[in-house]
Amino acid sequence: MSGDRSTERMAFTFGGYLLDVLPALLIVVFGDAFMVGLLAVMGLSVAAIAVVCALPLLCLVVVLIWDYARKHRFWAQACFAAAEMEDARTFVELVERPSFMDGRLAFDMAASVAGCGAQQMTRILAQSSAQREYTELWAHEIKGPLAAARLAASGMHGESASALSEQLERIGAYIDQVLYAARAESVENDYLIRDVGLLDLCREACKQNMRSLVAHGVALDFDIPAETRVFADSAWLSFVISQLVLNAAKYDSTHIRFSSRDEQAETPYGHTVLEVADDGCGVPAADTPRVFDRGFTGEVGRSHGSATGMGLYLVAIMCAKMGLGIVFASEEGKGSRVTISFPHDRRLIRLTTM
Amino acid sequence: MSLIYIIEDDVALRRELVNLLELQGFDVAFCEGFSHAASDALAASPDCILLDLKLPSDDGRVSGHSICREIRRTSEVPIIVLTSVGDDFSEVMALKLGAHDFIHKPYRPAVLMARIEALISRAERGAHGGTGSAGEAIERDGVSLDLRTSSVRFEGKASLLTRNELRILALLMRNPGTVISRSEIMCDLWESDAFVDDNTLTVNVNRLRKKLDGLGIDSDFLQTRRGQGYLVR
């Protein structure tokens, strides 16, 4: 929001009001002074002059106070609403339509501007939802030809066939990124939290990207008990893991280690922690706090080329939506470590997502 | 030989599915129109049906779900539903209508084959109480690889292989005369949850070579093509 929405700048003060009506005030006071002089010349007694000239001034004070009071009532409401409201459409409900003319005009204009904004907003929302629908449809459609191409490549052998399969796998990963970007950034929540086997899910996510991982010479190590189960949407979590291992491979890792442990078990805050640690080039300390920002590529991303700054951003918002905690730690030159924590209590998941 | 019936509207994808399945030794049948897909499929009496959930519906009535329901009315044949990822509702619906399994596009061929084989052997075990069709032997130049006992035989002598060695040799012997790249072998091992790295693969291949030598198999049988991969004559 713009900096204009501060209560200091938008306030209806008595001083400001007086300054506003100063010309009118001066005219009345001068007129009154002139009348005092005129009556004195005409030889009226001091008492008579005082009575005659005090009356208009008294009336003026009464009029000013009455006018200030009714205007203040409206403008205080309007200023507060304008500074605090979250949705322009609520202005007409928060503020009472005033009885004086300029206030009415201002109110009607504000209502009209809000209505105009609301119309625009409705149009943009419809557009973005249509765009999202098309993106999803496209992603589903393109998977048909991609599946056919992968099957065709699987029948071929040798270096160029491996290279082809690897590139097809990369295309698939990029398509998933588009699909999840369309989903994760929308207001609708179409994911399904179920309990999933952590070891199988991590292995499967790695297999989905095995050609890239193998081509980069990455070795994997799983230290997750086979019976470990966590609450998550399996497709979403699989996407998250894919992004993590692809990042690790891209940034020069030779080894990725998956491990899990339970923390504070048997308490209401019990959770399972999944740690994905690599021995890649890591991220400079200055860049670490921003790795989850949208479009952030950083020094490492730029030096390795082809960083979109979308991967970890999507990872962060998808984890947030599923109610999972995610932490990124890194030491430059030594590697990175991502920990994801899965609350044991499903109610906690819902609490944090709401 | 098992018969797989494919109900899929994407012609290119269907063609590749047919190729893949035929290469793996399955008989394959499919339909071109979908208004009678269920009865066509049942008439072919397949061992497994691959069903795409999103089919063109001219009259708005034919969908993967309705085909699934129609087949289930008369038959318990295994059905694997093909979907795009994230369509949770369709998946749950398909499972409720009696599909045995679902698989997301674009599927890895190894996963598709594993699911099909698992379903067929489960159905066979249920029907005949047999042990399924996992055991087979591959033969090449007098060298015989027994997948069931994980052993390799040559001129009356036999040697036991580890899981990785068996998988490597099986992949090479199934594609005789073809150079298989190291990355392809590694991916094949990864499919079996053996996440080996380059060094481990070298160790595995060297051990395998020693065992073949020990049986008196000509060292030309398994060749190394530097920078390309491995090859079985």
Side-chain angles (χ1 to χ4, degrees):
Chain A
M1 280 296 153
S2 67
D4 290 334
R5 293 184 60 182
S6 70
T7 28
E8 289 95 59
R9 291 190 59 177
M10 285 192 292
F12 193 76
T13 59
F14 193 61
Y17 175 74
L18 283 184
L19 211 62
D20 209 36
V21 295
L22 193 61
L25 269 180
L26 288 178
I27 290 170
V28 172
V29 170
F30 279 128
D32 211 43
F34 181 71
M35 204 147 78
V36 169
L38 203 65
L39 292 177
V41 169
M42 286 167 70
L44 255 72
S45 71
V46 176
I49 293 175
V51 169
V52 171
C53 294
L55 201 66
L57 288 180
L58 204 66
C59 288
L60 178 66
V61 169
V62 171
V63 164
L64 281 179
I65 291 176
W66 168 75
D67 190 45
Y68 172 77
R70 65 174 187 161
K71 288 192 169 165
H72 179 263
R73 197 176 127 83
F74 164 71
W75 287 114
Q77 274 181 8
C79 291
F80 180 77
E84 302 293 331
M85 73 184 168
E86 309 237 300
D87 184 344
R89 287 167 293 184
T90 55
F91 183 81
V92 289
E93 283 146 41
L94 293 172
V95 181
E96 203 181 327
R97 191 167 185 266
S99 52
F100 56 100
M101 191 183 68
D102 45 352
R104 274 200 314 270
L105 274 176
F107 179 88
D108 292 345
M109 280 179 180
S112 154
V113 168
C116 186
Q119 265 179 17
Q120 215 171 9
M121 181 68 102
T122 312
R123 207 168 53 236
I124 290 170
L125 279 180
Q127 258 172 21
S128 97
S129 136
Q131 180 68 45
R132 177 195 129 123
E133 265 170 42
Y134 175 65
T135 305
E136 285 199 31
L137 185 69
W138 179 88
H140 285 300
E141 290 294 319
I142 198 77
K143 282 182 177 183
L146 184 62
R150 289 186 74 162
L151 291 183
S154 77
M156 303 188 260
H157 302 286
E159 283 299 323
S160 31
S162 289
L164 181 62
S165 289
E166 186 197 338
Q167 298 311 317
L168 289 174
E169 185 186 276
R170 283 183 67 195
I171 293 174
Y174 280 124
I175 291 172
D176 271 348
Q177 207 178 61
V178 165
L179 182 62
Y180 285 111
R183 292 221 173 127
E185 288 192 316
S186 88
V187 281
E188 290 156 56
N189 287 333
D190 40 12
Y191 54 87
L192 201 61
I193 304 285
R194 281 181 283 205
D195 84 317
V196 295
L198 192 57
L199 177 61
D200 278 346
L201 189 136
C202 290
R203 282 179 166 172
E204 189 53 34
C206 291
K207 286 185 201 172
Q208 270 165 24
N209 301 290
M210 63 183 174
R211 295 194 177 265
S212 300
L213 295 177
V214 164
H216 281 92
V218 179
L220 300 178
D221 185 11
F222 294 92
D223 181 17
I224 302 174
E227 68 278 4
T228 303
R229 300 190 76 80
V230 295
F231 287 118
D233 177 294
S234 60
W236 279 38
L237 184 57
S238 175
F239 175 79
V240 165
I241 304 288
S242 289
Q243 293 300 309
L244 297 182
V245 294
L246 286 177
N247 264 356
K250 190 154 117 193
Y251 298 126
D252 309 334
S253 302
T254 56
H255 189 250
I256 304 175
R257 183 183 153 79
F258 290 82
S259 57
S260 76
R261 58 182 186 270
D262 277 2
E263 283 183 358
Q264 293 174 282
E266 312 303 325
T267 75
Y269 303 103
H271 54 270
T272 299
V273 176
L274 169 69
E275 184 179 292
V276 183
D278 67 52
D279 60 350
C281 63
V283 170
D287 285 352
T288 309
R290 295 175 61 199
V291 292
F292 291 126
D293 290 358
R294 191 181 208 276
F296 180 74
T297 50
E299 203 181 291
V300 188
R302 283 191 293 276
S303 67
H304 283 71
S306 80
T308 57
M310 280 302 282
L312 282 182
Y313 163 73
L314 288 176
V315 162
I317 54 177
M318 288 166 81
C319 282
K321 281 198 168 189
M322 289 190 285
L324 312 178
I326 182 162
V327 176
F328 178 91
S330 183
E331 196 176 336
E332 200 176 356
K334 293 240 173 108
S336 307
R337 209 172 61 233
V338 178
T339 50
I340 302 178
S341 53
F342 303 85
H344 291 163
D345 189 342
R346 258 192 97 158
R347 284 167 302 178
L348 246 97
I349 293 177
R350 244 186 254 128
L351 268 180
T352 42
T353 45
M354 262 154 71
Chain B
M1 191 86 332
S2 304
L3 174 68
I4 315 281
Y5 198 89
I6 302 176
I7 305 177
E8 159 71 69
D9 62 308
D10 187 322
V11 179
L13 182 52
R14 190 170 66 211
R15 191 175 56 229
E16 295 307 334
L17 273 173
V18 171
N19 282 346
L20 174 80
L21 292 169
E22 283 179 348
L23 267 177
Q24 300 289 329
F26 289 105
D27 290 331
V28 185
F30 56 85
C31 55
E32 310 251 6
F34 302 101
S35 33
H36 306 104
S39 47
D40 290 351
L42 287 173
S45 67
D47 298 285
C48 180
I49 294 177
L50 298 182
L51 172 63
D52 185 12
L53 276 187
K54 254 175 67 187
L55 295 170
S57 49
D58 326 314
D59 53 359
R61 271 180 300 154
V62 181
S63 75
H65 288 115
S66 66
I67 292 175
C68 187
R69 189 185 302 122
E70 210 176 321
I71 293 172
R72 262 305 156 265
R73 228 174 266 151
T74 50
S75 165
E76 278 301 312
V77 57
I79 300 176
I80 298 179
V81 164
L82 310 172
T83 69
S84 282
V85 69
D87 202 354
D88 285 322
F89 175 75
S90 299
E91 277 160 22
V92 173
M93 213 39 221
L95 292 180
K96 281 204 188 307
L97 288 176
H100 282 80
D101 207 346
F102 56 83
I103 187 161
H104 294 142
K105 290 179 198 172
Y107 26 80
R108 299 201 307 286
V111 173
L112 181 65
M113 297 317 302
R115 300 271 175 99
I116 292 176
E117 273 158 15
L119 272 186
I120 289 181
S121 71
R122 202 195 305 166
E124 276 174 357
R125 265 202 307 280
H128 316 297
T131 52
S133 55
E136 59 172 300
I138 311 172
E139 227 174 297
R140 191 78 208 156
D141 268 3
V143 179
S144 151
L145 183 66
D146 190 333
L147 295 178
R148 192 174 4 212
T149 58
S150 184
S151 61
V152 58
R153 280 167 217 284
F154 183 69
E155 292 176 348
K157 284 188 286 181
S159 179
L160 281 181
L161 298 180
T162 65
R163 212 171 54 122
N164 287 359
E165 291 162 359
L166 174 75
R167 230 177 139 98
I168 295 169
L169 190 56
L171 178 64
L172 292 171
M173 285 178 70
R174 281 203 182 103
N175 300 282
T178 313
V179 178
I180 308 290
S181 66
R182 289 176 64 86
S183 61
E184 197 178 335
I185 298 176
M186 279 166 69
C187 286
D188 187 59
L189 289 172
W190 280 34
E191 288 287 4
S192 71
D193 286 339
F195 296 93
V196 298
D197 59 4
D198 211 55
N199 295 332
T200 317
L201 176 64
T202 308
V203 172
N204 279 323
V205 172
N206 287 344
R207 288 217 182 110
L208 175 61
R209 207 185 275 287
K210 241 176 228 154
K211 283 184 185 172
L212 297 181
D213 275 351
L215 293 176
I217 298 171
D218 185 15
S219 63
D220 251 14
F221 179 74
L222 200 171
Q223 299 170 8
T224 305
R225 294 289 167 89
R226 200 159 290 282
Q228 293 183 59
Y230 300 100
L231 166 95
V232 159
R233 245 184 355 211

